[in-house]
Amino acid sequence: MVAVTIERTAKRKFKGASKDAICGAPDYLTDEHREMPHVVRFSGGRSSAAMVLSLARSKALAAERNDVVLFANTTAEHPETYEFARKVCDELEAEHGIPCFWFEFCTYETASRTGWRRREGYRLVDRTRKATPDDPPFSPGYREDGSAFEALASLRAMLPNRSLRFCTQALKVRPGIELLGEWFSGGPGPRHLGHHHPEPQSSPADDAERYAGKQFTQEAYETIRGFAHQDPPARPEQRWQIFTQVELKRKGGQRPEVDLAGRHGTPFKYLTLLGLRADEPKRVNRALFDAMLNDGTTGSKCRYDSHPAGESIACPLSDHEATKESVDIFWKSQPYDLGIDGRQGNCVYCPMKGEAALRALAANEETKDSGPMSIGWWADIESRYGRAATSEGADRFRFLSLRAPSYAEIAADPSPREGANTQTLPCQCGD
């Protein structure tokens, strides 16, 4: 095996560190990176928020370069995350002129060789208001009921778990890549997705007829796929300007979609900025290594799924030696902060936290509602979408592992259990 080393410029402390900024522009590896459009993947957490505000305040972001900030709403975030992310985006747009877009996973119908099917897509959402049944389809409010997360489980008929954690890819990364392809194309907004028939052309029953797996009966599969089919059969075209207060001086008329992956030639190049700190070297190196695998690649058979061939990655916080302590100091001097207990995180009952941490959260749970803030909601999702298992001693695939306790069991008795997994796996939602 050939050893690969990622060479980077020497790290330095940010000379302008103050209550206004803890980092500036990243250590650009090439002059070309400096000129590329910058995309900030804003996770809604304190580190990425400190990064993007610092970049904007130190003039390291520029609307003229087509820079943009993206927030992917899994719809299962902590309620305080939405309030915090909204304040960050309001400053970025009102004071620095940097557009911010919130988007969500959704499904839509399209034709295939075997008939009409549901596909994975995305939609822009209005960060200023919560979704209601009366929202116009071209301008919906944001959801906080976990429905996008459930739609994903319903569409794939399986749960993300500690070994197969596809929720980040499906709810954040890939929809964001689709969004960028349309943003960089220069048109007025995302194009229409799906068909133009007034009524749905597919159904859970159609899905069940095509189902050839062994984990579910056709009847059970039809029930599981039902939730995904509650989405409208199409997402109408949308307009960027509706979802940002920044005046977008973009050319009218939709140009061809930008080829981010280099499927048909030279890929479109841009720089993604991640809020990974200097005290997270493994996460930094993993992100940079993944992006390096794509450097210079072209064609659909020569690219890494999570990072289009034209994407380069930089980590300004790491470059400027910012740590968790730096981030804490930064927020102490701001007029607001993320009001979340550090043990909760944006996704309170994420299985990556491990059984022991989840038990502690469930034991101290204050809310008893039916939403993602309650372990009961997660237990319900697990019971309905967990695939059947044939291994001895295990009947169903669960969030934690094949033989770990279910969320329902933890909710019923959250007291510490001898032998419970205490390992918290690295979160990669900001990647």
Side-chain angles (χ1 to χ4, degrees):
M1 180 179 292
V2 179
V4 179
T5 301
I6 302 173
E7 293 185 1
R8 312 204 63 213
T9 54
K11 294 182 180 179
R12 67 193 187 285
K13 289 187 176 180
F14 181 46
K15 301 302 181 183
S18 68
K19 66 181 181 65
D20 294 321
I22 61 172
C23 72
D27 288 339
Y28 296 111
L29 298 182
T30 68
D31 289 337
E32 183 183 25
H33 286 180
R34 189 186 307 274
E35 303 303 321
M36 292 177 183
H38 289 16
V39 176
V40 180
R41 292 277 192 165
F42 174 37
S43 70
R46 299 171 82 245
S47 292
S48 65
M51 176 192 70
V52 69
L53 290 177
S54 295
L55 290 170
R57 292 171 183 177
S58 60
K59 310 302 181 185
L61 296 179
E64 301 77 26
R65 193 171 48 197
N66 229 6
D67 293 357
V68 66
V69 176
L70 303 183
F71 172 71
N73 178 24
T74 66
T75 71
E77 313 284 339
H78 193 292
E80 291 290 339
T81 299
Y82 297 112
E83 183 66 22
F84 179 69
R86 185 183 304 109
K87 291 178 180 178
V88 171
C89 290
D90 285 348
E91 177 184 331
L92 291 170
E93 292 195 339
E95 299 185 26
H96 307 290
I98 305 300
C100 302
F101 295 109
W102 288 23
F103 64 93
E104 296 175 356
F105 171 93
C106 68
T107 69
Y108 65 96
E109 289 183 350
T110 187
S112 71
R113 289 182 297 176
T114 57
W116 292 96
R117 289 181 177 272
R118 280 272 161 180
R119 299 295 188 195
E120 298 179 8
Y122 82 94
R123 63 180 186 175
L124 298 175
V125 294
D126 187 343
R127 70 173 185 266
T128 66
R129 56 187 174 82
K130 298 178 183 179
T132 70
D134 298 326
D135 281 350
F138 59 85
S139 179
Y142 70 90
R143 293 175 288 175
E144 58 176 4
D145 58 357
S147 52
F149 187 97
E150 183 171 357
L152 174 62
S154 172
L155 187 68
R156 296 200 180 184
M158 64 185 302
L159 295 170
N161 55 65
R162 284 166 67 89
S163 300
L164 186 62
R165 189 170 164 271
F166 58 82
C167 46
T168 292
Q169 297 296 313
L171 299 178
K172 295 190 172 197
V173 178
R174 282 196 287 270
I177 292 171
E178 291 183 27
L179 187 160
L180 290 174
E182 299 192 281
W183 169 253
F184 290 135
S185 294
R191 67 188 184 283
H192 180 97
L193 280 182
H195 56 70
H196 291 273
H197 295 285
E199 300 295 333
Q201 302 297 299
S202 70
S203 70
D206 296 332
D207 294 346
E209 287 184 4
R210 289 190 291 257
Y211 177 63
K214 299 179 180 179
Q215 291 90 350
F216 307 107
T217 64
Q218 284 194 317
E219 181 180 4
Y221 191 76
E222 180 177 345
T223 300
I224 284 172
R225 296 280 286 194
F227 192 87
H229 281 267
Q230 292 181 23
D231 275 351
R235 184 209 68 191
E237 63 180 21
Q238 297 182 295
R239 292 292 180 266
W240 304 116
Q241 194 62 75
I242 293 177
F243 301 94
T244 176
Q245 57 182 301
V246 176
E247 184 179 355
L248 301 177
K249 300 177 181 179
R250 303 177 64 80
K251 296 179 181 179
Q254 183 76 39
R255 297 203 301 271
E257 183 177 355
V258 162
D259 189 4
L260 298 181
R263 292 184 178 91
H264 312 294
T266 303
F268 180 85
K269 296 182 178 180
Y270 65 98
L271 182 67
T272 292
L273 304 179
L274 302 178
L276 304 180
R277 307 184 306 266
D279 53 353
E280 302 174 294
K282 289 184 178 180
R283 294 183 68 194
V284 172
N285 287 334
R286 188 194 67 84
L288 297 179
F289 180 79
D290 286 351
M292 185 191 67
L293 295 178
N294 275 350
D295 192 17
T297 63
T298 60
S300 60
K301 294 183 179 179
C302 190
R303 58 191 176 87
Y304 190 70
D305 186 57
S306 300
H307 301 284
E311 180 187 47
S312 296
I313 284 180
C315 303
L317 292 178
S318 177
D319 290 342
H320 295 287
E321 298 188 354
T323 63
K324 183 178 184 302
E325 181 182 9
S326 308
V327 172
D328 290 342
I329 293 173
F330 173 83
W331 285 109
K332 286 180 180 178
S333 62
Q334 305 306 309
Y336 62 92
D337 197 351
L338 177 58
I340 294 179
D341 185 320
R343 296 170 299 177
Q344 292 179 309
N346 293 339
C347 185
V348 178
Y349 287 103
C350 174
M352 303 298 280
K353 294 177 180 179
E355 181 189 340
L358 294 174
R359 286 181 176 276
L361 287 168
N364 292 287
E365 183 178 300
E366 295 180 359
T367 178
K368 296 301 179 184
D369 61 24
S370 58
M373 280 289 289
S374 170
I375 193 172
W377 181 87
W378 293 84
D380 180 57
I381 296 292
E382 185 178 56
S383 68
R384 287 190 286 127
Y385 299 107
R387 289 195 174 201
T390 57
S391 300
E392 183 178 349
D395 62 343
R396 189 173 296 275
F397 287 94
R398 295 168 173 170
F399 277 126
L400 290 173
S401 72
L402 195 60
R403 294 178 176 82
S406 68
Y407 273 42
E409 290 170 338
I410 294 174
D413 180 13
S415 59
R417 182 179 73 88
E418 184 178 354
N421 190 330
T422 60
Q423 182 184 19
T424 297
L425 299 179
C427 175
Q428 291 153 4
C429 284
D431 302 1

